[in-house]
Amino acid sequence: MRDLTALNAARRAADLAALGDGGLVDVLVIGGGITGAGIALDAASRGLTAVLVEKHDLAFGTSRWSSKLVHGGLRYLATGNVGIARRSAVERGILMTRNAPHLVHAMPQLVPLLSDTGWTKRALVRTGFVAGDGLRALAGTRSSVLPRSRRIGAEEALAMTPTLRRDGLYGALLAYDGQLIDDARLVVAVARTAAQHGARILTRVRAEEATGSSVRLTDELTGERLVLAARVVINATGVWAAEVDPSIKLRPSRGTHLVFDAASFGNPTAALTVPIPGETNRFVFAMPEQLGRVYLGLTDEEAPGPIPDVPQPTPGEVTFLLDTVNTALATDLTTADVIGAYAGLRPLLDTGS
């Protein structure tokens, strides 16, 4: 029996040959990240003929350089975007219980209560966690999936994050969010589900001369070209969107993560969440990951200029992340403890402000 979810060379060749015969498709999606894959699935599951083209591989860009989180929209709630916050919480619950429970699980997040943590900061964090509990309940996600936030004592906090500073430690606030085992795997899973519904998922196919109704496609493996007509063309190329449509003005932001051996943090079982000194609503996270690793992130730095295929962290970002996390640790981490680093670019629109 043919596997309708298979994305292999034979299916790719057959799909390209079928498109080469001309005709009109309903939806043509440019970009194979999580947004493009999600659009292709949405279209195909509604019975529309859908084609997705990606000049590299699935999840080549920002979708593989994430924090590996499926967050519940608390950051949006903080800025008054209640609708987006609620939708984020709903989607998180769907991923954790129905669509991808094998890829998304609950991750404890611990904010230490230290003597130099002001009462205002503590109140803001607690208020945020309570609001997060409300979002979870509003989204219909059970507390058995995402436990309620609570305050814990110093000993329990140290058991979860052993390298935490002991002097002046009153305890910690503990909350839970969704963590992705592998962000690229989620993209592939969504793309394969789209393929099961009939979408044509074509990697290593470059899109050029895009209009609202047609695109010139080039097979990067063979050099063959074809023009594909569509009722609608959707630009889902993220930070490269302006290369498809020059009228789009972006202001990319770089988010950098550092990679450590988990032993550097005492093999923690919770993500250590550290307030950034001088900031009201920004934190860095030291998150336990697969294979005995901890990822420390994340920065928010303007990244002007040409868009690289693989963004690179800057020395300043490395120093910023180390300096921030060290405010909460008993022993300072240095660049010698860093075993890797990666960065992703957020495709923010340039509004002029």
Side-chain angles (χ1 to χ4, degrees), residues 289-333:
E289 301 284 344
Q290 293 187 95
L291 305 176
R293 300 288 185 257
V294 166
Y295 293 167
L296 174 65
L298 129 119
T299 62
D300 187 7
E301 296 296 323
E302 193 163 0
I307 305 300
D309 281 349
V310 181
Q312 296 297 320
T314 65
E317 289 173 298
V318 174
T319 299
F320 162 78
L321 290 172
L322 288 172
D323 286 349
T324 302
V325 78
N326 282 337
T327 64
L329 300 181
T331 304
D332 283 356
L333 295 172

Side-chain angles (χ1 to χ4, degrees), residues 165-231:
R165 224 176 76 196
R166 295 169 184 263
D167 59 298
L169 180 64
Y170 292 111
L173 297 174
L174 183 66
Y176 290 80
D177 213 337
Q179 183 175 34
L180 263 172
I181 292 174
D182 188 322
D183 44 11
R185 268 187 72 188
L186 180 63
V187 177
V188 173
V190 173
R192 289 186 61 175
T193 308
Q196 184 180 26
H197 284 276
R200 290 186 165 98
I201 308 295
L202 301 170
T203 58
R204 295 177 176 84
V205 172
R206 185 171 73 252
E208 299 172 298
E209 301 174 22
T211 70
S213 58
S214 69
V215 176
R216 180 181 295 280
L217 303 178
T218 302
D219 184 341
E220 296 281 75
L221 302 182
T222 66
E224 294 182 12
R225 292 185 169 189
L226 65 96
V227 174
L228 183 61
R231 288 190 170 87

Side-chain angles (χ1 to χ4, degrees), residues 216-257:
R216 180 181 295 280
L217 303 178
T218 302
D219 184 341
E220 296 281 75
L221 302 182
T222 66
E224 294 182 12
R225 292 185 169 189
L226 65 96
V227 174
L228 183 61
R231 288 190 170 87
V232 62
V233 176
I234 299 179
N235 180 355
T237 57
V239 78
W240 292 277
E243 295 180 10
V244 176
D245 180 357
S247 70
I248 296 173
K249 303 300 180 185
L250 295 179
R251 188 175 180 176
S253 166
R254 186 174 54 253
T256 287
H257 297 79

Side-chain angles (χ1 to χ4, degrees), residues 148-165:
R148 295 181 180 89
S149 64
R150 59 191 174 94
R151 178 168 177 165
I152 61 175
E155 289 305 311
E156 188 175 354
L158 288 166
M160 300 179 82
T161 54
T163 57
L164 191 58
R165 224 176 76 196

Side-chain angles (χ1 to χ4, degrees), residues 11 20 41 61 66 71 106 113 120 123-124 126-127 187 201 204 209 211 228 254 262 270 274 287:
R11 180 164 182 174
L41 172 55
S66 77
H71 69 81
L113 298 175
T120 301
L124 281 172
R126 184 67 188 123
T127 300
V187 177
I201 308 295
R204 295 177 176 84
E209 301 174 22
T211 70
L228 183 61
R254 186 174 54 253
V274 183
M287 299 164 288

